[in-house]
Amino acid sequence: MVLDDLGTSLRGTLDKLRGKSRISEDDIEEIVKEIQRSLLSADVDVSLVMELSDSIEERALEEEPPAGTPARDFVLRIVYEELVDLIGESTDLPLEEQTILLAGLQGSGKTTSAAKMAWWFSTKGLRPAVVQTDTFRPGAYDQAKEMCERAEVDFYGNPDADDPVEIARNGLEETSEADVHIVDTAGRHALEDDLIDEIEQIEDAVEPDKSLLVLDAAIGQGAKDQAQQFDESIGIDGVVITKLDGTAKGGGALTAVDQTESSIAFLGTGEEVQDIERFEPDGFISRLLGMGDLGQLAERVERAMQQTDVEEEEWDPEDMLTGQFTLNDMQKQMEAMNNMGPLDQVMDMIPGFGGGIKDQLPDDAMDVTQERMRAYSVIMDSMTETEKEYPKAIGASQIERIARGSGTSEDQVRELLEQYKMMERTIKQFQGMGSDKEMQRMMQQMQQQGGGGGGGGMGGMGPF
């Protein structure tokens, strides 16, 4: 994910304090210099870097850490609070009727973001509609229409019209039954006068409740001027940062947020319609520093379970805690995991498993793990229902047949069966919890093993 390098660098810097109970001025000076280097490398504006690092240094020197608090945890809390303060609150987007205007340069991801945002509003019980006004870019209408079909939301555009202002007016009328209107405008390769004039005319026609600037995470220092000009033209209420699944540095987008005195509304985290997150500063910075994001994790889990249940309604994940755990349960669990998105993003949200642990894994570790999960799914598809219900009865001849039928090796089939046994043992531990207090105690033990500073490990989870 974007800013991963920044997060890794910040965590590495803070780890230099591990084991210390007190910090000296020299320690703080070294930490602040490292933080400055990290932020500048991530394309954060110099003036912002100096402002942030000065605040961190001042607080670290003047504030007294609570009794018994390790030096690393004390400085980590200060860095966390200052970064959250720098980014500010999430853009206010009430779940009610509203019109949202999207602006940005060509290639920033406006059209994709429009459909993603519409999908997000639909999951909150509202009826959204996307109005496509881009008459400049070839294929803009087709892309928007196809994305909205995938998002299963209302769409209006007119590929035969050449007046974007007229399209905008007609679009609002044709989709009048929608609760939320998202108006997508044309971009250019640069901030040309005709682009600004066009957006201003569309703004006058649709009278948006919010105007959001869409920025590619890779924009770098150019974000500052772009944000200023759009803000002067139509006023920017919030920013949508796209392509956060790439390797871009991302600091330029954060600079733009500060430059327009606005806030972040959404984060685009992938290519699929569902790859969008409502921005929450606490969770975002928490993930960056390797502390997890339980709020976003809970939302993904809920969505994943809903999508899995739609495919086969008779499967209830809670049955695993009361009855026999089968390979059918394991397969459904894997489908739910896939529905949660890329494994590295999910790991970032789990306290103790993102950040420090991920930094220690090989670069291709997540890809290898997801590839293994896909292989397991193919193997299970080659099994009979009886074999999936009673995997302990699978013998050598069946392993040979399953491997041949799935195009995998016998070792891979055996590996799957070993993984199943490991998961079955874990499930039985949960089944043995006799009271809520025992369950809470177990969860606390897991949290102590995995959280609070990047410790813990993935050994208990087996190959996953």
Side-chain angles (χ1 to χ4, degrees), residues 23-79:
I23 48 176
S24 65
E25 288 190 26
D26 289 341
D27 288 331
I28 293 171
E29 185 177 342
E30 182 183 357
I31 292 295
V32 167
K33 284 182 179 178
E34 289 289 341
I35 289 172
Q36 288 174 347
R37 277 194 285 269
S38 301
L39 293 169
L40 290 170
S41 296
D43 267 344
V44 180
D45 186 68
V46 175
S47 59
L48 279 182
V49 171
M50 298 311 297
E51 180 185 333
L52 178 68
S53 57
D54 286 348
S55 296
I56 292 171
E57 183 173 12
E58 182 179 339
R59 289 187 59 186
L61 287 171
E62 294 182 0
E63 293 182 14
E64 190 68 25
T69 303
R72 180 187 181 280
D73 292 351
F74 172 61
V75 178
L76 175 65
R77 188 196 58 154
I78 292 174
V79 172

Side-chain angles (χ1 to χ4, degrees), residues 444-463:
Q444 285 172 351
Q445 286 176 346
M446 290 171 63
Q447 205 166 28
Q448 288 165 3
Q449 291 166 6
M458 296 182 68
M461 297 178 69

Side-chain angles (χ1 to χ4, degrees), residues 7 9 39 81 141 147 260 275 313 332-333 353 375 428:
S9 182
L39 293 169
E81 291 174 353
Y141 170 85
M147 286 291 294
T260 57
D275 292 335
E313 295 179 359
K332 286 299 172 186
Q333 208 176 44
F353 284 101
K428 283 183 177 178

Side-chain angles (χ1 to χ4, degrees), residues 118-386:
W119 174 85
W120 184 86
F121 276 110
S122 73
T123 66
K124 304 302 176 184
L126 295 171
R127 181 175 177 178
V130 172
V131 178
Q132 172 57 254
T133 69
D134 188 350
T135 60
F136 179 78
R137 179 170 63 92
Y141 170 85
D142 292 333
Q143 182 194 5
K145 186 172 184 293
E146 192 266 334
M147 286 291 294
C148 288
E149 286 174 353
R150 284 162 55 188
E152 299 181 346
V153 297
D154 293 344
F155 169 76
Y156 178 84
N158 187 345
D160 299 320
D162 56 10
D163 183 354
V165 179
E166 180 186 352
I167 294 173
R169 288 199 190 96
N170 292 341
L172 294 183
E173 291 176 7
E174 292 293 326
T175 60
S176 59
E177 293 183 2
D179 302 311
V180 180
H181 290 92
I182 301 171
V183 182
D184 182 23
T185 62
R188 299 288 194 276
H189 291 298
L191 277 166
E192 301 149 351
D193 290 340
D194 59 341
L195 167 62
I196 296 298
D197 290 343
E198 182 177 296
I199 291 176
E200 288 175 349
Q201 291 176 40
I202 293 174
E203 185 202 21
D204 288 341
V206 303
E207 298 181 341
D209 298 287
K210 299 284 183 185
S211 293
L212 302 182
L213 176 62
V214 182
L215 289 174
D216 185 331
I219 189 171
Q221 296 290 337
K224 188 173 181 178
D225 292 337
Q226 186 184 139
Q228 275 182 323
Q229 288 188 264
F230 275 113
D231 196 30
E232 290 168 5
S233 176
I234 59 174
I236 297 300
D237 301 300
V239 173
V240 179
I241 303 180
T242 64
K243 306 176 187 177
L244 279 162
D245 54 324
T247 57
K249 296 177 180 179
L254 300 184
T255 299
V257 175
D258 182 81
Q259 190 64 42
T260 57
E261 296 184 353
S262 59
S263 52
I264 302 175
F266 289 99
L267 304 175
T269 59
E271 297 180 359
E272 299 301 321
V273 170
Q274 298 86 352
D275 292 335
I276 186 169
E277 293 178 12
R278 185 76 169 92
F279 176 73
E280 298 296 342
D282 291 357
F284 180 77
I285 297 301
S286 183
R287 258 186 282 172
L288 191 69
L289 295 174
M291 297 155 57
D293 182 358
L294 291 177
Q296 192 58 233
L297 179 64
E299 185 169 321
R300 287 209 184 195
V301 169
E302 182 180 0
R303 189 176 82 205
M305 299 313 295
Q306 287 173 347
Q307 290 175 337
T308 304
D309 284 347
V310 165
E311 294 173 10
E312 193 167 329
E313 295 179 359
E314 66 268 20
W315 182 73
D316 186 346
E318 293 184 8
D319 289 345
M320 293 189 300
L321 296 178
T322 57
Q324 181 182 358
F325 178 68
T326 70
L327 277 171
N328 277 321
D329 294 320
M330 181 174 168
Q331 191 167 25
K332 286 299 172 186
Q333 208 176 44
M334 285 167 50
E335 286 176 19
M337 281 286 290
N338 283 330
N339 287 333
M340 287 175 67
L343 194 57
D344 58 341
Q345 291 182 18
V346 176
M347 273 191 69
D348 275 337
M349 298 173 192
I350 304 173
F353 284 101
I357 287 180
K358 252 181 62 180
D359 294 343
Q360 298 167 27
L361 296 175
D363 291 340
D364 63 347
M366 295 298 104
D367 293 336
V368 171
T369 301
Q370 293 211 293
E371 185 64 37
R372 182 179 291 168
M373 288 174 67
R374 282 191 286 270
Y376 285 172
S377 184
V378 171
I379 291 170
M380 285 186 278
D381 284 341
S382 296
M383 293 179 177
T384 66
E385 280 302 311
T386 302

